[in-house]
Amino acid sequence: MYNDILTIGPVTIHGYGLMIGIGILCAIFAGIWLAKKKGLSPDEVYNLTFVCVIAGISCAKLLFCIVEWKNFIKDPLGTLGSDGFVVYGGIIGGTLIAGLYTKIRKLDFWDYFDLVLPSVAIAQGFGRIGCFLAGCCYGQRTDSWFGITFHDSGYAPNGVALYPTQLMSSAGCFIMAGILFFYARKDRAKGKTGALYLIMYSIGRAIIEMFRNDYRGSIGFLSTSQFISIFILIIGLIIFFVPKGKQSEDIQ
């Protein structure tokens, strides 16, 4: 909608990139705050964020290329250079690299799994605002008062009212972050906080997909993300109901 925020000479600040940057910074600060409350290393939060962001972006692009495999075969460089990403690729890739990082550093994976994912929800909330500014990830047409009309978008249809799925996703992510940070005030059994993120995000994402109208690939009657959500939900439920540690006192 307003993707070009500011232009100074040859340099243009784009809303999508700006929101991603703000989201990452806020996630780092939130992660450091929670790390101090949990008695974990803030330095490891910096390091883990760095490797997870790189792996997440790379894997989000990789999954996008897989979903858009026909376009990738026709124009590999064009597909790689596009603005397209699939968030689930970032979540999966970031989690895998986090597992490798904690193993190399001899850290408890579950401690940082529970630490990082509430902060990821914050980053995603800002990221979806970026999607709204860019006009990507748009919704279906609607006649309801809830509709948003784009006028100069390079992605969404212009001049028609659409469900603001980007803002719906953003609000959901911020609400989810609030729930997770409140839940994490107590030392839960290891893995439960991160598992709660997986459960809530997979359900929320599957619902939001019902209102979106941009092409995202499909597997049968499900969108690619809805299909992946099934497995993420199952994994989250398994982790949540299989305790990995004992509880302790409240964090003050």
Side-chain angles (χ1 to χ4, degrees), residues 147-207:
I148 293 290
T149 302
F150 291 86
H151 297 287
D152 191 27
S153 173
Y155 299 96
N158 292 297
V160 294
L162 308 172
Y163 282 113
T165 46
Q166 310 95 328
L167 299 183
M168 292 161 63
S169 297
S170 177
C173 287
F174 285 131
I175 291 171
M176 184 167 60
I179 293 172
L180 290 171
F181 275 98
F182 181 80
Y183 183 80
R185 287 182 66 253
K186 293 183 178 181
D187 279 346
R188 308 288 180 173
K190 292 185 178 182
K192 278 187 175 288
T193 301
L196 187 58
Y197 165 88
L198 297 179
I199 292 168
M200 290 193 295
Y201 182 78
S202 60
I203 293 173
R205 182 59 187 268
I207 294 172

Side-chain angles (χ1 to χ4, degrees), residues 78-94:
T79 306
L80 287 171
S82 70
D83 294 331
F85 295 92
V86 177
V87 172
Y88 266 132
I91 295 173
I92 295 169

